[in-house]
Amino acid sequence: MPERTERTLLYIKYVDDALAEQGAAAVEGTISGMSLRILARALPDGRTSVAVSLYRRVHRMRASGKAFHYWTPEELTSIARTKKDLVVLRDIDRRTGKSTTRHVFSGIVVGSWIHGLSWTLQSWMRSNPQARRLEGPEPERVGDAVDEAIGEIREHIGELPNWNDRFPLLKDGWPDRPASAYLPYLDAHDPAQVAKNLFGVRAYRRPLAREVERLDISTLSWFALFRGLVPVDWLIDAMRTTKATDGRREMRQRSLTYLQQRGIRSILRRTPQQVLRRILKEPVHQARRTLADAADCTAHRLAVTRDLALLPGIIAARGQRRVRGSRDLEHLVRDLPEIERWQNSRGRAAQRVTVEEIRALREMEDYNREVRLLPEGTAQVADWDLWKDETFRAQALRLIEDRRRELMAAHDRERYERDEARRLERIARQTQRHAWALQTAALLDGREAAPGLKLVVARDAETLSRWGAMLNNCIGGYAGELELDVFAAVCEADGRVRLNLQISQSHGVEQILGKYNRDAVRELGEAAQQVVDGLGAMEVSFHSDALGMGGLRLPQEKH
């Protein structure tokens, strides 16, 4: 096979040296040069393709602080005549690498987009008058050189095809639509030929041709995805139940992209015929939208996709009858295991190098931060050139690790000492409370609180539990505070408990409650004030917000 040859129709390249030096010194993202190239490539089959590219020279700063520059594409466009004698214009997105194509027909100016690229180049040259010419004509002759190159492009590409001549079955006014969707109508003079192009010669039937003539191309493209997967009679029955719509209104709806068509076809090939028949019985717009969503996660060029090879086994395990339509099939596709397919190896390698460089820079900054905290002369502060030395980096990382271990050991030791001091302080405080509780219990136990009432101090948890059962309150739950606080009961001569008290060292009497946690006045009446006064005479203090003191005076308010 003969090799593809190239011939340069136009090459313009200008750089600004002063701007390049400034950009290399301090400016991030400086554009110091632009170039426009037009190449004519002779393909092995005799056709010619013309590629137009606009590049710019950009300056950046590495993570190490060093400046570098590179040429990056601003616009990438090509035009060529296909084997079917149609002319295709292709644009490549420089950020995503995705290409979009459209057919051009007579009445469209071939060099219009080239004039736009030339205007971008000339605008940069006018804003940078010191730019130096490396290739191409002088600045004042750039426009003439572009016009000459466009003339040569017309000679290579030839006359643009006429829409009405190549698509006789379609009405006038359709050349602004993507011609790739109407390729089954190319040079077809009757619906029978369109049916053969869509579904194959062997599947052709006269009823199929009648349905092709009745339906629009968007609906026909949906049924064409089932070509060879189901009997043609099923397709004819499904097309008969589909209502014809206005073609222009149908095209205004979201049409299937090439990747979606490829993904849907891959799903349908792995689906049993009985499930396909249920999908064909659904409304076209519903099934198409549902399977398009499923195809979006399987037919992407770079992103995470699904392993469709497992789909037949999952459908068999689930049971064909339980896959009732396109929505159930979509759920099965979305639940398939994910796989990653990276085709842009160069971009992935560049990303890996950038990530490794950023990680190394952060390690160097961590090392220098630790070194500055050490005594002077203990270790050497690193720069980027020294950090790239593997031996020094290994020693530095060991130093950082040892330093971190020392800091963690010191932190653990400090935390242990702090916790131990708190524990000893807590023990001392509890010892003091215990001594006070024993002294206060000895003072109060058996003393007369009021005429006919005496104080009894609880010595164990069983007593508290018995008091709680007698008064229907929660004093039994304070067993953990025994001998730290004083728990007493106001009892009658026969041992009947009337009030419960909780007395703490810091607040004095905190609770003085009767049955069902009633206030002392409701429980004892006027005798409650005598109990409070008696406790005050024993030098027992009361909390200002003590529970159960409603209607009572504090001992200090007596006078």
Side-chain angles (χ1 to χ4, degrees), residues 480-505:
E481 300 295 323
L482 272 174
E483 297 187 353
L484 297 177
D485 291 344
V486 176
F487 296 91
V490 177
C491 301
E492 295 180 346
D494 57 358
R496 179 186 174 191
V497 178
R498 302 299 301 276
L499 294 176
N500 284 146
L501 289 84
Q502 180 187 6
I503 308 172
S504 65
Q505 183 184 13

Side-chain angles (χ1 to χ4, degrees), residues 28 60-68 348-366 383-385 387-388 390 393:
E28 171 76 7
R60 298 290 183 188
M61 302 295 291
R62 294 188 184 275
S64 60
K66 291 187 176 181
F68 69 101
R348 191 177 183 183
Q351 182 182 11
R352 183 174 61 254
V353 171
T354 303
V355 170
E356 291 176 354
E357 193 171 272
I358 294 175
R359 185 184 299 112
L361 178 64
R362 291 176 178 173
E363 291 177 350
M364 184 187 72
E365 293 175 349
D366 293 340
D383 55 12
W384 182 249
D385 293 332
W387 190 256
K388 289 190 292 187
E390 294 295 336
R393 183 188 295 185

Side-chain angles (χ1 to χ4, degrees), residues 288-539:
R288 180 171 56 186
R289 183 173 60 249
T290 303
L291 289 185
D293 293 340
D296 287 336
C297 63
T298 62
H300 198 278
R301 187 169 59 92
L302 296 177
V304 176
T305 61
R306 302 299 193 276
D307 190 359
L308 290 178
L310 302 177
L311 184 59
I314 292 179
I315 295 177
R318 184 182 180 90
Q320 294 184 16
R321 293 184 178 181
R322 298 185 64 185
V323 184
R324 297 178 296 261
S326 59
R327 188 167 297 277
D328 291 342
L329 186 60
E330 179 200 6
H331 292 165
L332 293 180
V333 172
R334 290 187 179 277
D335 292 339
L336 290 174
E338 298 179 351
I339 55 176
E340 290 187 0
R341 294 176 181 172
W342 292 95
Q343 298 181 2
N344 190 359
S345 57
R346 181 181 300 177
R348 191 177 183 183
Q351 182 182 11
R352 183 174 61 254
V353 171
T354 303
V355 170
E356 291 176 354
E357 193 171 272
I358 294 175
R359 185 184 299 112
L361 178 64
R362 291 176 178 173
E363 291 177 350
M364 184 187 72
E365 293 175 349
D366 293 340
Y367 167 76
N368 289 335
R369 191 181 303 112
E370 296 291 341
V371 166
R372 294 187 182 94
L373 298 176
L374 297 176
E376 186 175 358
T378 304
Q380 180 181 0
V381 177
D383 55 12
W384 182 249
D385 293 332
L386 182 60
W387 190 256
K388 289 190 292 187
D389 185 1
E390 294 295 336
T391 303
F392 177 83
R393 183 188 295 185
Q395 297 176 355
L397 293 178
R398 283 197 299 270
L399 176 64
I400 293 176
E401 188 65 25
D402 294 341
R403 174 66 174 170
R404 288 177 178 172
R405 287 198 186 97
E406 294 177 0
L407 292 176
M408 291 181 62
H411 177 72
D412 293 341
R413 184 168 57 254
E414 180 183 356
R415 183 177 60 184
Y416 172 76
E417 294 175 355
R418 184 171 61 251
D419 294 343
E420 183 66 16
R422 291 176 178 174
R423 187 180 69 85
L424 295 177
E425 181 182 358
R426 185 172 61 255
I427 292 175
R429 188 166 56 250
Q430 291 181 352
T431 302
Q432 183 183 5
R433 288 179 60 189
H434 177 67
W436 170 87
L438 292 180
Q439 181 181 359
T440 304
L443 176 65
L444 299 181
D445 193 16
R447 297 285 296 272
E448 184 179 5
L453 298 173
K454 67 175 182 178
L455 294 174
V456 177
V457 177
R459 302 292 184 178
D460 50 34
E462 183 180 355
T463 302
L464 289 181
S465 178
R466 186 175 70 255
W467 290 352
M470 295 173 65
L471 298 184
N472 288 324
N473 58 24
C474 59
I475 193 172
Y478 290 87
E481 300 295 323
L482 272 174
E483 297 187 353
L484 297 177
D485 291 344
V486 176
F487 296 91
V490 177
C491 301
E492 295 180 346
D494 57 358
R496 179 186 174 191
V497 178
R498 302 299 301 276
L499 294 176
N500 284 146
L501 289 84
Q502 180 187 6
I503 308 172
S504 65
Q505 183 184 13
S506 57
H507 297 102
V509 176
E510 294 186 358
Q511 300 184 53
I512 178 169
L513 299 171
K515 195 170 186 178
Y516 302 114
N517 286 333
R518 291 183 298 194
D519 290 346
V521 173
R522 293 184 58 189
E523 185 68 28
L524 293 181
E526 296 179 357
Q529 185 64 50
Q530 298 177 2
V531 172
V532 171
D533 294 340
L535 290 172
M538 293 180 233
E539 299 182 354

